[in-house]
Amino acid sequence: MAPMTTTEIAIGDLTDPRILRLLEDHLADMHAESPPESVHALDVSALQDAAVTFWALSDGDAVLGCVALKQLDESHGELKSMRTDAAARGRGLGRLLLDHVLAEARARGYRRVSLETGTQDFFAPARTLYASAGFAETGPFADYVLDPYSVFMTLDLDA
């Protein structure tokens, strides 16, 4: 009989080689899909900022995904670095990560969570996931500007 594994979401160790590989894959995909000026993904040093909390999703020894929440102000958070390993897609792990970060945003008392994602077909599954959770398209927020390669979405947590 195979050993039981447990899917867990916990604060991620940004020195763990498994997490670094996942983040490298994430940045590589972002740069492959968008021009450099339209890539807003955070690198490891930016994920270490005090305003950012980073979580990893693991199943046994495998790191299958990650997500981060950046505090923009006392009532507004930004979803960042949402990634599911390519080999683990289609298992509902993205929904687990999204539910986790939204629960954390509510626990912090945020009134809304916003995100930026791409307009290209590559990002369609992400846009669909976010819309299914109640995110609606909005204009730019924080330091973002209008960009043909960006979609901005916000979820009102008070609704």
Side-chain angles (χ1 to χ4, degrees):
M1 183 187 296
M4 295 281 289
T5 57
T6 306
T7 302
E8 175 184 56
I9 299 173
I11 295 294
D13 175 359
L14 290 166
T15 65
D16 183 325
R18 300 167 301 167
I19 290 174
L20 294 175
R21 182 200 50 83
L22 190 67
L23 292 171
E24 288 166 6
D25 291 349
H26 181 63
L27 287 169
D29 280 347
M30 300 307 100
H31 284 281
E33 293 295 328
S34 302
E37 65 276 9
S38 297
V39 174
H40 303 289
L42 300 179
D43 63 15
V44 171
S45 65
L47 287 168
Q48 293 170 334
D49 185 284
V52 177
T53 307
F54 176 83
W55 294 274
L57 182 150
S58 60
D59 188 359
D61 289 334
V63 175
L64 303 179
C66 62
V67 67
L69 182 61
K70 179 179 181 181
Q71 181 170 324
L72 299 176
D73 62 41
E74 295 78 28
S75 65
H76 191 190
E78 181 181 2
L79 181 72
K80 297 297 293 180
S81 301
M82 179 92 159
R83 174 75 177 193
T84 302
D85 186 78
R89 292 192 183 139
R91 295 174 41 188
L93 301 177
R95 173 64 70 181
L96 285 175
L97 288 164
L98 184 57
D99 289 348
H100 177 83
V101 80
L102 293 177
E104 178 65 25
R106 286 183 175 95
R108 293 180 182 187
Y110 291 171
R111 299 185 69 201
R112 65 187 171 129
V113 174
S114 299
L115 64 90
E116 179 276 336
T117 192
T119 57
Q120 303 89 316
D121 289 345
F122 176 84
F123 300 100
R127 292 192 308 268
T128 299
L129 174 65
Y130 301 139
S132 74
F135 282 84
E137 287 191 31
T138 61
F141 61 93
D143 295 331
Y144 292 102
V145 296
L146 283 176
D147 181 337
Y149 294 95
S150 290
V151 173
F152 305 98
M153 303 178 84
T154 296
L155 175 63
D156 179 357
L157 296 174
D158 290 337

